[in-house]
Amino acid sequence: MESGPAIFAGAVFALFGAALLVWTATRVRRGEPVALGVSQVASAALAGLASVIALALAAYCLTRP
């Protein structure tokens, strides 16, 4: 069974990763910049990578014994 801090950390990572992924996808779909002053492709790729890493960390925190 997971400990309390691991559940909390997993929930925070999951919420952050999901919110960042949705926000990035919405900005890209509308053609708006993800980060000001940076290439749209580079900023979308970096934000997407960060969201996938956060979701992977959430899965790790929630599934470890």
Side-chain angles (χ1 to χ4, degrees), residues 17-45:
L20 182 60
L21 190 62
V22 168
W23 180 80
T24 302
T26 301
R27 299 288 286 186
V28 168
R29 195 177 84 214
R30 290 181 179 178
E32 298 172 351
V34 177
L36 294 176
V38 182
S39 165
Q40 185 173 1
V41 175
S43 62

Side-chain angles (χ1 to χ4, degrees), residues 1-63:
M1 181 173 207
E2 295 91 6
S3 66
I7 293 171
F8 178 75
V12 169
F13 280 128
L15 287 173
F16 174 74
L20 182 60
L21 190 62
V22 168
W23 180 80
T24 302
T26 301
R27 299 288 286 186
V28 168
R29 195 177 84 214
R30 290 181 179 178
E32 298 172 351
V34 177
L36 294 176
V38 182
S39 165
Q40 185 173 1
V41 175
S43 62
L46 187 60
L49 179 65
S51 65
V52 169
I53 290 171
L55 290 172
L57 285 170
Y60 172 75
C61 287
L62 294 173
T63 60

